[in-house]
Amino acid sequence: MIQPTGMLGEDGIHVDMDHLKKGEVNLGTSIMAINFKDGVILGADSRTTTGSYIANRVTDKLTQVHDTIWCCRSGSAADTQAVADIVQYHLGMYGVENDEAPTTQTAAALFQEICYENKDNLSAGMIIAGYDQRHGGQVYSIPLGGSLHKQTYAIGGSGSTYIYGFCDANWKEGMTEEEGIDFVKRSLQEAIKWDGSSGGVIRMVVLTAKGAQRHLYLPDNGYTGPGYK
Amino acid sequence: MFRNNYDSDALTFSPQGRIFQVEYAQEAVKQGSVVVGIVSKTHAVLAALKRNAEELSSYQKKVIEIDAHYGIALAGLASDARVLSNFMQQQSLSSRLTYDRPIALAEITHRLSIRAQKSTQQHGRRPYGVGLLIAGIDTTGPHLFEFQPSGVTQEMVACAMGARSQMARTYLERHVDEFEACGKDELIKHALRALKESLSQDKELTVDNTSVGISGEDEAFILLDGQSVVPWLNATFENREGGEESMEVDS
Amino acid sequence: MTSIGTGYDLDNSVFSPDGRNFQVEYAVKAVENGGTSIGIRCKDGVVLATEKLVTSKLMKAGANKRIATVDRNIGMVSAGLLPDGRYLVSRARQETASWRQIYKSPMPVASLAGRLGSFVQMFTMNGGLRPFGITAIVGGWDSEGDMAVDGQVGAGPSVGAGGKASGKKYGGPFLYMIEPSGLYWGYYGAATGKGRQAAKSELEKLDLSAGALSLEQGVKEAARIIYVAHEDSKDKEFELEMTWVSGLSGPTKGQHQEVPKELREEAERLAKKALEGDDEMEE
């Protein structure tokens, strides 16, 4: 039976878990973004699945839409890539036309508009995080229906269900960069451990006044390195 | 054929920065028969002189109800007024449908102005050849607006336009301070007297050629035409000579 | 080279052999006949003021406002053909509304000026259109506070975002003037209409670029300048209309509003007094 994405099943209780088209690539995922003392950190696992098959084990789910505005993508890979592409175009135009870099909220507003207006056709859960000099670091979450939530930190994807308690217990305001990276890494490790659709490496992006810096942590050495690059 | 090089369309400025086509359109208003409007604190009134093409023809419509709370009086090309009154009726209805609220007079006048302006700046159209008085009442009280083919609109206390309207204007200016306190009756009388000032010597206000429109607080816009205008003519011009005769009508 | 009779001045989309667009120059003439309008960019806000000529005593006093609010933080006034001014205001409102629809936040004044400049320019180039017979002054305040996203759920985290650059200032007062050619500049003090020359020389005396003039002082200067500019057409009656917009900590809290009656009347009293003073000095 074909059902629109994100709709309840016939019984009105169970969410349709089998909403992807046959063969469609899913980001069964663990993603998160946090605020810390100097900006924001985005983190994600790297598993992409087609049903039970791992289509890509080193996926990059952290996508840049402007210099220091990035997003974490969960849901359909095709949908979220398309949405991020559109927003990247708009933000690029904004920067050129107004001679001023767009802010994180501008990006969040654009993401929300697209996700809300096309909610019936999209399977996209996104976390937007960015840094600008005026507002510092900011984290926005846009879950399935297209609502917009400004948060101190946000977690998303199928793996996030396993780490709500962990994050709540370990969250601290105003962490240092080192503490922040550790928090994200440990959270995602837990998510990967419990969620069958999450796995692979842990990728992170740190956004501060200094710009964007990528981190990579491999399972081979228990996610201890290689670190930033 | 043209008076100068700059008057063949509404898209050409003269070296003095004037747009002749728009000014000519204003002339069409001056050719129309006179209309008068006045507001008081409680009422807004329109009065108009109707013309007939010939003895046996009917008289043209000069006052049009647009919505329950307001109406217009026109001077100039009646067919252009018809287009605009249709537009206003549609806009007014849509306000009631969408917001369950009668449209504000300032708002409908603004929309009219924007519409008229476009035909003075965009190709393929001519300016409207009609002037309007828009009178009625909304949540902020009674209002009277003047509309010109150029798209100029102004809120007025009293106004007259059309042929020989200067005489009516002189009357209105002389009494302008009295209007605010006027009740319905007094206001209609003032409007009719102002209207009469603009008539040529050989003419009278009669049951056939006079239209009055009035609306007030808790009073819907009503059009007084034909027999219903007779009492007002009688009350306004009690002691005029031969008044009775001109008022007699076989209908 | 004279323009008249050459044929090069009849169409808006035609250049004369020496590279001029006469229709635009004629449109400027329409502006020069309009009532004076000015804008002053003060250190803590913007004032807009206009000389509204009373053409008939039948006009309703205090009605027929000429300075329009475009978005909550932006005001606009123009000199020249009234309906053209109104049309540009409605276009400006569309621009700010569509900006909000896309970006969920108020439009910066500079961006609005840019859009309007392009719009007005289009009317000097396309056949089937005529240039705008107005010069418009756009003044507003870009919020200095953190911007929320319209429609965002909740106020967000109570703890401030990390990593803000300290000591930097954002937002502030902005003032632009757009001419019939589509040309626009940012200004400290802008004047247009019949009395612009007198108004300009008064504005220059204020040393606005120093950024020392307060908004309240600006209101008084604006009133005085309109009165000075009106001197040449003294026989005509006029109404002074003034609006202002300040920062979030100022009197209008970032919104474009009419100057309160008491302050306007006080400013008018001072303006009249200043004019009388001038007359005495000349004697």
Side-chain angles (χ1 to χ4, degrees):
Chain A
M1 194 185 103
I2 298 169
Q3 272 188 319
T5 303
M7 300 288 278
L8 291 178
E10 275 174 15
D11 57 8
I13 300 169
H14 293 101
V15 179
D16 170 30
M17 297 297 288
D18 195 25
H19 58 261
L20 289 173
K21 293 186 186 81
K22 196 162 180 288
E24 187 172 353
V25 177
N26 191 21
L27 293 169
T29 290
S30 301
I31 53 171
M32 64 190 296
I34 66 160
N35 268 303
F36 76 105
K37 191 166 68 67
D38 302 320
V40 290
I41 303 171
L42 300 88
D45 75 317
S46 69
R47 181 166 293 179
T48 299
T49 53
T50 314
S52 59
Y53 175 69
I54 298 174
N56 186 352
R57 62 193 184 97
V58 288
T59 318
D60 186 7
K61 300 174 190 176
L62 305 179
T63 303
Q64 187 179 30
V65 288
H66 202 79
D67 299 357
T68 52
I69 306 173
W70 292 57
C71 66
C72 316
R73 301 180 291 114
S74 78
S76 156
D79 289 358
T80 54
Q81 277 174 11
V83 171
D85 279 354
I86 294 167
V87 172
Q88 185 188 37
Y89 163 78
H90 277 293
L91 294 180
M93 286 302 284
Y94 184 105
V96 175
E97 279 183 5
N98 301 291
D99 202 19
E100 180 184 71
T103 58
T104 312
Q105 43 266 71
T106 303
L110 288 170
F111 269 110
Q112 189 211 10
E113 182 74 8
I114 296 168
C115 289
Y116 176 73
E117 289 299 331
N118 303 290
K119 59 155 78 183
D120 291 343
N121 302 311
L122 286 178
S123 169
M126 317 204 62
I127 297 171
I128 322 303
Y131 172 88
D132 60 77
Q133 295 211 329
R134 180 169 180 179
H135 302 91
Q138 285 177 320
V139 171
Y140 289 90
S141 169
I142 303 172
L144 230 51
S147 57
L148 181 63
H149 308 264
K150 190 176 180 185
Q151 296 174 348
T152 43
Y153 72 91
I155 56 180
S158 55
S160 67
T161 46
Y162 304 96
I163 57 169
Y164 273 85
F166 180 91
C167 290
D168 192 38
N170 290 88
W171 171 252
K172 272 196 333 237
E173 290 289 349
M175 285 188 276
T176 63
E177 181 169 341
E178 204 176 335
E179 287 171 323
I181 288 169
D182 191 52
F183 174 77
V184 173
K185 200 200 293 175
R186 290 206 294 148
S187 304
L188 290 175
Q189 258 181 281
E190 287 300 317
I192 287 169
K193 183 157 83 190
W194 296 107
D195 181 30
S197 336
S198 299
V201 306
I202 291 176
R203 294 186 188 278
M204 285 188 216
V205 170
V206 181
L207 302 174
T208 61
K210 286 181 260 169
Q213 190 178 46
R214 272 187 176 279
H215 290 240
L216 176 70
Y217 300 96
L218 304 176
D220 318 39
N221 54 22
Y223 299 107
T224 53
Y228 70 85
K229 60 172 172 128
Chain B
M1 161 189 174
F2 294 114
R3 223 181 275 176
N4 60 57
N5 279 328
Y6 304 100
D7 67 350
S8 55
D9 64 45
L11 304 178
T12 309
F13 278 108
S14 82
Q16 292 75 40
R18 293 162 62 180
I19 304 169
F20 285 112
Q21 267 299 307
V22 173
E23 294 183 16
Y24 296 171
Q26 316 261 42
E27 290 301 316
V29 178
K30 293 184 191 162
Q31 311 275 333
S33 66
V34 64
V35 290
V36 171
I38 316 176
V39 274
S40 73
K41 219 170 188 156
T42 54
H43 288 81
V45 66
L46 295 169
L49 176 71
K50 294 186 285 188
R51 278 200 287 232
N52 56 342
E54 51 188 288
E55 193 84 358
L56 295 173
S57 76
S58 65
Y59 286 77
Q60 79 178 110
K61 214 171 161 79
K62 291 287 282 183
V63 179
I64 303 170
E65 179 188 336
I66 303 294
D67 197 346
H69 64 299
Y70 77 104
I72 59 170
L74 61 106
L77 302 183
S79 44
D80 283 20
R82 189 157 203 89
V83 171
L84 292 177
S85 68
N86 265 331
F87 168 73
M88 293 167 84
Q89 282 165 340
Q90 277 162 12
Q91 294 289 314
S92 305
L93 266 177
S94 114
S95 169
R96 287 194 186 266
L97 182 69
T98 313
Y99 304 112
D100 192 21
R101 190 165 37 180
I103 197 165
L105 265 68
E107 176 59 26
I108 187 67
T109 308
H110 179 79
R111 291 186 195 177
L112 203 57
S113 165
I114 293 285
R115 190 183 154 113
Q117 192 276 345
K118 287 201 163 93
S119 53
T120 72
Q121 199 176 20
Q122 263 143 255
H123 181 66
R125 307 172 62 142
R126 63 160 171 78
Y128 292 103
V130 69
L132 302 178
L133 295 179
I134 300 140
I137 194 150
D138 60 26
T139 48
T140 57
H143 296 282
L144 171 69
F145 286 91
E146 176 194 14
F147 163 83
Q148 292 285 343
S150 59
V152 167
T153 61
Q154 286 172 317
E155 178 156 18
M156 310 290 280
V157 172
C159 187
M161 61 169 72
R164 299 166 56 88
S165 58
Q166 184 51 49
M167 318 284 251
R169 233 172 351 256
T170 308
Y171 175 92
L172 294 172
E173 278 171 20
R174 211 162 49 230
H175 295 88
V176 69
D177 297 327
E178 302 165 28
F179 297 147
E180 188 175 336
C182 280
K184 176 181 171 184
D185 296 11
E186 272 311 300
L187 209 59
I188 294 179
K189 285 181 190 172
H190 272 305
L192 289 174
R193 285 195 206 107
L195 197 63
K196 187 172 189 290
E197 293 287 319
S198 285
L199 298 189
S200 49
Q201 285 297 323
D202 56 327
K203 271 204 176 149
E204 281 282 0
L205 288 180
T206 71
V207 60
D208 293 316
N209 68 12
T210 312
S211 274
V212 171
I214 178 125
S215 61
E217 282 170 354
D218 304 319
E219 290 174 50
F221 184 87
I222 42 168
L223 176 58
L224 304 173
D225 236 354
Q227 286 302 330
S228 54
V229 86
V230 173
W232 293 105
L233 288 173
N234 286 338
T236 311
F237 311 107
E238 280 168 57
N239 47 3
R240 61 176 173 168
E241 295 166 38
E244 288 302 310
E245 199 181 333
S246 61
M247 223 140 293
E248 256 171 46
V249 158
D250 297 322
S251 48
Chain C
M1 170 181 171
T2 177
S3 56
I4 300 164
T6 58
Y8 294 112
D9 66 339
L10 295 176
D11 200 340
N12 154 30
S13 50
V14 164
F15 274 121
S16 76
D18 54 352
R20 290 160 66 182
N21 185 339
F22 288 117
Q23 272 296 304
V24 172
E25 293 181 23
Y26 297 170
V28 172
K29 289 282 193 296
V31 176
E32 291 172 355
N33 297 328
T36 313
S37 290
I38 63 166
I40 302 179
R41 178 175 152 175
C42 310
K43 70 170 181 216
D44 49 353
V46 178
V47 190
L48 299 176
T50 188
E51 165 206 31
K52 192 167 70 193
L53 294 168
V54 178
T55 47
S56 157
K57 63 192 275 197
L58 295 177
M59 269 173 76
K60 187 169 170 183
N64 304 304
K65 292 279 180 264
R66 292 274 308 281
I67 309 179
T69 298
V70 173
D71 199 344
R72 297 212 308 241
N73 60 324
I74 303 175
M76 189 164 152
V77 64
S78 56
L81 306 181
L82 252 57
D84 283 21
R86 213 179 264 168
Y87 178 47
L88 196 62
V89 165
S90 84
R91 174 68 188 198
R93 286 180 176 156
Q94 282 172 21
E95 289 287 359
T96 54
S98 84
W99 181 282
R100 271 183 190 274
Q101 201 137 45
I102 298 169
Y103 300 117
K104 309 278 163 60
S105 65
M107 187 172 195
V109 184
S111 304
L112 176 65
R115 296 276 183 93
L116 291 181
S118 307
F119 184 67
V120 169
Q121 189 281 144
M122 189 178 81
F123 283 73
T124 69
M125 212 163 86
N126 290 20
L129 297 172
R130 67 162 169 80
F132 275 87
I134 53 161
T135 288
I137 297 175
V138 179
W141 181 277
D142 287 351
S143 175
E144 69 276 42
D146 281 2
M147 304 268 232
V149 181
D150 292 0
Q152 144 193 324
V153 179
S158 54
V159 179
K164 272 188 209 182
S166 60
K168 287 205 168 184
K169 281 197 172 153
Y170 299 94
F174 289 95
L175 183 67
Y176 289 87
M177 185 156 77
I178 302 149
E179 297 170 25
S181 60
L183 182 76
Y184 69 98
W185 299 104
Y187 287 86
Y188 290 107
T192 181
K194 201 172 220 160
R196 70 198 171 286
Q197 291 302 352
K200 265 184 204 164
S201 64
E202 289 298 318
L203 284 167
E204 279 162 15
K205 289 181 202 160
L206 296 178
D207 190 24
L208 291 163
S209 55
L213 192 74
S214 75
L215 184 57
E216 201 134 319
Q217 207 56 43
V219 167
K220 287 168 186 162
E221 292 295 348
R224 187 181 63 79
I225 291 170
I226 291 292
Y227 270 83
V228 169
H230 184 71
E231 281 292 275
D232 289 338
S233 37
K234 235 176 175 173
D235 48 319
K236 287 182 191 145
E237 259 191 76
F238 81 103
E239 274 180 24
L240 172 68
E241 193 182 323
M242 283 198 292
T243 62
W244 59 352
V245 54
S246 76
L248 294 174
S249 55
T252 79
K253 299 188 169 42
Q255 308 219 347
H256 175 249
Q257 290 169 346
E258 199 166 333
V259 172
K261 189 159 167 268
E262 305 76 52
L263 181 56
R264 193 196 71 221
E265 284 171 353
E266 166 71 0
E268 284 193 85
R269 194 182 60 75
L270 291 173
K272 284 174 193 161
K273 208 168 127 195
L275 278 187
E276 283 164 19
D278 280 0
D279 289 349
E280 275 162 30
M281 297 230 290
E282 280 166 16
E283 276 164 18

